[in-house]
Short mmCIF file of all heavy atoms in Angstrom, two decimals:
data_model
loop_
_atom_site.label_atom_id
_atom_site.label_comp_id
_atom_site.label_asym_id
_atom_site.label_seq_id
_atom_site.Cartn_x
_atom_site.Cartn_y
_atom_site.Cartn_z
N LEU A 712 -3.28 4.72 -6.64
CA LEU A 712 -3.06 6.12 -6.30
C LEU A 712 -3.90 7.02 -7.19
O LEU A 712 -3.85 6.93 -8.42
CB LEU A 712 -1.58 6.46 -6.44
CG LEU A 712 -0.64 5.54 -5.64
CD1 LEU A 712 0.82 5.87 -5.95
CD2 LEU A 712 -0.90 5.63 -4.17
N PHE A 713 -4.67 7.90 -6.57
CA PHE A 713 -5.58 8.81 -7.25
C PHE A 713 -5.13 10.24 -7.02
O PHE A 713 -4.43 10.54 -6.06
CB PHE A 713 -7.00 8.64 -6.69
CG PHE A 713 -7.61 7.30 -6.98
CD1 PHE A 713 -7.30 6.19 -6.22
CD2 PHE A 713 -8.50 7.15 -8.03
CE1 PHE A 713 -7.87 4.95 -6.48
CE2 PHE A 713 -9.07 5.92 -8.31
CZ PHE A 713 -8.75 4.82 -7.54
N ASP A 714 -5.57 11.14 -7.91
CA ASP A 714 -5.32 12.56 -7.69
C ASP A 714 -6.50 13.17 -6.94
O ASP A 714 -7.45 12.47 -6.59
CB ASP A 714 -5.02 13.29 -9.01
CG ASP A 714 -6.20 13.28 -9.98
OD1 ASP A 714 -7.34 12.95 -9.58
OD2 ASP A 714 -5.97 13.61 -11.17
N ASP A 715 -6.47 14.48 -6.71
CA ASP A 715 -7.54 15.15 -5.98
C ASP A 715 -8.89 15.05 -6.68
O ASP A 715 -9.93 15.14 -6.04
CB ASP A 715 -7.21 16.63 -5.76
CG ASP A 715 -6.13 16.83 -4.71
OD1 ASP A 715 -6.10 16.04 -3.74
OD2 ASP A 715 -5.32 17.76 -4.85
N GLY A 716 -8.88 14.87 -8.00
CA GLY A 716 -10.13 14.77 -8.76
C GLY A 716 -10.69 13.36 -8.83
O GLY A 716 -11.70 13.12 -9.48
N GLY A 717 -10.01 12.39 -8.20
CA GLY A 717 -10.50 11.02 -8.22
C GLY A 717 -10.03 10.21 -9.41
O GLY A 717 -10.51 9.10 -9.65
N ASN A 718 -9.08 10.74 -10.20
CA ASN A 718 -8.55 10.03 -11.35
C ASN A 718 -7.36 9.16 -10.93
O ASN A 718 -6.51 9.60 -10.16
CB ASN A 718 -8.08 11.04 -12.41
CG ASN A 718 -9.20 11.95 -12.85
OD1 ASN A 718 -10.23 11.50 -13.30
ND2 ASN A 718 -8.99 13.24 -12.68
N VAL A 719 -7.28 7.95 -11.46
CA VAL A 719 -6.15 7.08 -11.16
C VAL A 719 -4.91 7.65 -11.81
O VAL A 719 -4.91 7.96 -13.00
CB VAL A 719 -6.40 5.64 -11.69
CG1 VAL A 719 -5.18 4.77 -11.43
CG2 VAL A 719 -7.62 5.03 -11.06
N VAL A 720 -3.83 7.82 -11.04
CA VAL A 720 -2.58 8.33 -11.59
C VAL A 720 -1.48 7.27 -11.60
O VAL A 720 -0.55 7.35 -12.40
CB VAL A 720 -2.09 9.60 -10.86
CG1 VAL A 720 -3.00 10.77 -11.16
CG2 VAL A 720 -1.96 9.39 -9.37
N ALA A 721 -1.58 6.26 -10.73
CA ALA A 721 -0.54 5.24 -10.69
C ALA A 721 -1.01 4.03 -9.88
O ALA A 721 -1.95 4.13 -9.09
CB ALA A 721 0.73 5.79 -10.07
N ALA A 722 -0.34 2.93 -10.10
CA ALA A 722 -0.52 1.73 -9.29
C ALA A 722 0.86 1.19 -8.95
O ALA A 722 1.74 1.15 -9.80
CB ALA A 722 -1.33 0.68 -10.05
N LEU A 723 1.04 0.83 -7.70
CA LEU A 723 2.28 0.22 -7.21
C LEU A 723 1.93 -1.13 -6.64
O LEU A 723 0.91 -1.26 -5.97
CB LEU A 723 2.84 1.04 -6.04
CG LEU A 723 3.67 2.23 -6.33
CD1 LEU A 723 3.13 3.42 -5.60
CD2 LEU A 723 5.05 1.93 -5.82
N TRP A 724 2.75 -2.14 -6.88
CA TRP A 724 2.44 -3.45 -6.32
C TRP A 724 3.67 -4.30 -6.12
O TRP A 724 4.71 -4.07 -6.72
CB TRP A 724 1.42 -4.19 -7.17
CG TRP A 724 1.93 -4.59 -8.52
CD1 TRP A 724 2.48 -5.80 -8.86
CD2 TRP A 724 1.97 -3.80 -9.70
NE1 TRP A 724 2.85 -5.80 -10.18
CE2 TRP A 724 2.55 -4.58 -10.72
CE3 TRP A 724 1.58 -2.50 -10.00
CZ2 TRP A 724 2.75 -4.11 -12.01
CZ3 TRP A 724 1.79 -2.02 -11.28
CH2 TRP A 724 2.36 -2.83 -12.27
N ARG A 725 3.53 -5.27 -5.24
CA ARG A 725 4.52 -6.33 -5.00
C ARG A 725 3.73 -7.61 -4.76
O ARG A 725 2.61 -7.57 -4.28
CB ARG A 725 5.37 -6.14 -3.77
CG ARG A 725 5.92 -4.85 -3.47
CD ARG A 725 6.81 -4.90 -2.23
NE ARG A 725 7.86 -5.88 -2.36
CZ ARG A 725 9.16 -5.62 -2.23
NH1 ARG A 725 9.56 -4.41 -1.98
NH2 ARG A 725 10.04 -6.56 -2.35
N GLU A 726 4.36 -8.72 -5.02
CA GLU A 726 3.72 -10.01 -4.80
C GLU A 726 4.52 -10.89 -3.85
O GLU A 726 4.40 -12.10 -3.87
CB GLU A 726 3.50 -10.73 -6.13
CG GLU A 726 2.53 -10.03 -7.03
CD GLU A 726 2.23 -10.81 -8.30
OE1 GLU A 726 3.01 -11.69 -8.67
OE2 GLU A 726 1.19 -10.51 -8.92
N ASP A 727 5.33 -10.28 -3.01
CA ASP A 727 6.21 -11.06 -2.13
C ASP A 727 6.11 -10.65 -0.67
O ASP A 727 7.04 -10.77 0.10
CB ASP A 727 7.66 -10.93 -2.60
CG ASP A 727 8.16 -9.49 -2.55
OD1 ASP A 727 7.35 -8.56 -2.33
OD2 ASP A 727 9.37 -9.29 -2.74
N VAL A 728 4.95 -10.19 -0.26
CA VAL A 728 4.74 -9.74 1.11
C VAL A 728 4.32 -10.92 1.97
O VAL A 728 3.43 -11.68 1.59
CB VAL A 728 3.67 -8.62 1.16
CG1 VAL A 728 3.40 -8.18 2.58
CG2 VAL A 728 4.09 -7.45 0.29
N GLN A 729 4.96 -11.07 3.12
CA GLN A 729 4.59 -12.11 4.07
C GLN A 729 3.70 -11.50 5.14
O GLN A 729 4.03 -10.47 5.71
CB GLN A 729 5.83 -12.72 4.72
CG GLN A 729 6.76 -13.40 3.74
CD GLN A 729 6.17 -14.67 3.17
OE1 GLN A 729 5.53 -15.45 3.88
NE2 GLN A 729 6.36 -14.88 1.89
N GLY A 730 2.57 -12.14 5.40
CA GLY A 730 1.68 -11.67 6.45
C GLY A 730 1.27 -12.81 7.35
O GLY A 730 1.30 -13.97 6.95
N ALA A 731 0.89 -12.50 8.57
CA ALA A 731 0.44 -13.54 9.50
C ALA A 731 -0.89 -14.13 9.02
O ALA A 731 -1.12 -15.32 9.13
CB ALA A 731 0.29 -12.96 10.90
N THR A 732 -1.75 -13.28 8.47
CA THR A 732 -3.03 -13.70 7.89
C THR A 732 -3.34 -12.75 6.75
O THR A 732 -2.67 -11.74 6.57
CB THR A 732 -4.19 -13.61 8.90
OG1 THR A 732 -4.34 -12.25 9.31
CG2 THR A 732 -3.96 -14.49 10.12
N CYS A 733 -4.39 -13.04 6.02
CA CYS A 733 -4.84 -12.12 4.97
C CYS A 733 -5.68 -11.03 5.61
O CYS A 733 -6.67 -11.33 6.27
CB CYS A 733 -5.65 -12.89 3.93
SG CYS A 733 -6.20 -11.82 2.58
N PRO A 734 -5.30 -9.77 5.44
CA PRO A 734 -6.10 -8.69 6.02
C PRO A 734 -7.48 -8.61 5.38
O PRO A 734 -7.71 -9.14 4.29
CB PRO A 734 -5.30 -7.43 5.69
CG PRO A 734 -4.00 -7.87 5.15
CD PRO A 734 -4.14 -9.28 4.74
N ARG A 735 -8.37 -7.92 6.06
CA ARG A 735 -9.74 -7.70 5.57
C ARG A 735 -9.95 -6.21 5.33
O ARG A 735 -9.22 -5.39 5.90
CB ARG A 735 -10.75 -8.21 6.60
CG ARG A 735 -10.66 -9.72 6.82
CD ARG A 735 -11.56 -10.14 7.93
NE ARG A 735 -11.05 -9.53 9.15
CZ ARG A 735 -11.61 -9.65 10.34
NH1 ARG A 735 -12.71 -10.34 10.48
NH2 ARG A 735 -11.10 -9.08 11.40
N PRO A 736 -10.95 -5.85 4.53
CA PRO A 736 -11.24 -4.43 4.35
C PRO A 736 -11.42 -3.73 5.69
O PRO A 736 -12.07 -4.27 6.60
CB PRO A 736 -12.55 -4.43 3.54
CG PRO A 736 -12.47 -5.72 2.77
CD PRO A 736 -11.83 -6.70 3.72
N GLY A 737 -10.81 -2.56 5.82
CA GLY A 737 -10.88 -1.81 7.06
C GLY A 737 -9.72 -2.06 8.00
O GLY A 737 -9.47 -1.27 8.91
N ASP A 738 -8.97 -3.17 7.79
CA ASP A 738 -7.80 -3.45 8.63
C ASP A 738 -6.70 -2.44 8.33
O ASP A 738 -6.56 -1.96 7.20
CB ASP A 738 -7.25 -4.86 8.37
CG ASP A 738 -8.11 -5.95 8.97
OD1 ASP A 738 -9.06 -5.64 9.72
OD2 ASP A 738 -7.83 -7.13 8.69
N SER A 739 -5.88 -2.16 9.32
CA SER A 739 -4.71 -1.29 9.15
C SER A 739 -3.53 -2.12 8.69
O SER A 739 -3.40 -3.28 9.05
CB SER A 739 -4.36 -0.60 10.46
OG SER A 739 -5.36 0.31 10.82
N ILE A 740 -2.67 -1.50 7.89
CA ILE A 740 -1.44 -2.14 7.43
C ILE A 740 -0.32 -1.65 8.34
O ILE A 740 -0.28 -0.48 8.70
CB ILE A 740 -1.16 -1.78 5.96
CG1 ILE A 740 -2.21 -2.39 5.06
CG2 ILE A 740 0.22 -2.23 5.53
CD1 ILE A 740 -2.24 -3.90 5.02
N GLY A 741 0.60 -2.54 8.68
CA GLY A 741 1.69 -2.26 9.60
C GLY A 741 2.33 -0.89 9.45
O GLY A 741 3.04 -0.65 8.47
N ARG A 742 2.10 -0.04 10.39
CA ARG A 742 2.63 1.33 10.39
C ARG A 742 4.15 1.31 10.29
O ARG A 742 4.82 0.72 11.11
CB ARG A 742 2.18 2.04 11.65
CG ARG A 742 2.51 3.49 11.69
CD ARG A 742 1.94 4.09 12.99
NE ARG A 742 2.26 5.49 13.07
CZ ARG A 742 1.44 6.47 12.70
NH1 ARG A 742 0.25 6.18 12.25
NH2 ARG A 742 1.81 7.72 12.80
N GLY A 743 4.69 1.96 9.27
CA GLY A 743 6.13 2.07 9.11
C GLY A 743 6.83 0.81 8.63
O GLY A 743 8.04 0.74 8.64
N SER A 744 6.08 -0.18 8.16
CA SER A 744 6.69 -1.46 7.79
C SER A 744 6.96 -1.60 6.29
O SER A 744 7.43 -2.63 5.85
CB SER A 744 5.80 -2.62 8.24
OG SER A 744 4.56 -2.58 7.56
N LEU A 745 6.67 -0.58 5.52
CA LEU A 745 6.76 -0.69 4.06
C LEU A 745 7.95 0.04 3.45
O LEU A 745 8.08 0.10 2.24
CB LEU A 745 5.46 -0.18 3.42
CG LEU A 745 4.21 -0.92 3.86
CD1 LEU A 745 2.97 -0.23 3.31
CD2 LEU A 745 4.26 -2.37 3.42
N GLY A 746 8.81 0.60 4.26
CA GLY A 746 9.96 1.33 3.74
C GLY A 746 9.73 2.83 3.76
O GLY A 746 8.61 3.30 3.54
N HIS A 747 10.80 3.57 4.00
CA HIS A 747 10.71 5.02 4.17
C HIS A 747 10.14 5.74 2.95
O HIS A 747 9.25 6.58 3.07
CB HIS A 747 12.09 5.59 4.52
CG HIS A 747 12.10 7.07 4.61
ND1 HIS A 747 11.52 7.74 5.66
CD2 HIS A 747 12.60 8.02 3.77
CE1 HIS A 747 11.66 9.04 5.48
NE2 HIS A 747 12.31 9.24 4.34
N LYS A 748 10.62 5.43 1.75
CA LYS A 748 10.18 6.16 0.55
C LYS A 748 8.70 5.94 0.28
O LYS A 748 7.97 6.88 -0.03
CB LYS A 748 11.03 5.75 -0.66
CG LYS A 748 10.67 6.50 -1.94
CD LYS A 748 10.63 8.01 -1.78
CE LYS A 748 11.95 8.67 -2.00
NZ LYS A 748 11.88 10.15 -1.91
N LEU A 749 8.23 4.69 0.41
CA LEU A 749 6.81 4.44 0.17
C LEU A 749 5.96 5.11 1.24
O LEU A 749 4.96 5.74 0.93
CB LEU A 749 6.52 2.94 0.13
CG LEU A 749 5.06 2.60 -0.18
CD1 LEU A 749 4.67 3.08 -1.57
CD2 LEU A 749 4.81 1.12 -0.04
N GLN A 750 6.37 5.01 2.50
CA GLN A 750 5.59 5.63 3.58
C GLN A 750 5.58 7.15 3.42
O GLN A 750 4.57 7.79 3.69
CB GLN A 750 6.18 5.26 4.94
CG GLN A 750 6.15 3.79 5.24
CD GLN A 750 4.80 3.21 5.66
OE1 GLN A 750 4.73 2.07 6.01
NE2 GLN A 750 3.73 3.95 5.61
N GLU A 751 6.66 7.73 2.92
CA GLU A 751 6.73 9.16 2.66
C GLU A 751 5.70 9.54 1.58
O GLU A 751 5.05 10.58 1.66
CB GLU A 751 8.14 9.51 2.20
CG GLU A 751 8.40 10.96 1.95
CD GLU A 751 9.84 11.16 1.48
OE1 GLU A 751 10.74 11.09 2.33
OE2 GLU A 751 10.05 11.36 0.27
#
């Protein structure tokens, strides 16, 4: 997560996500599948 000036302000991560395959750069991540607070 970056601010408007391009500075890193935070990093969020999990290591327990199940996917059908490994996504590639440019792929979309499941819309609405990450929980309301994170999507907000």
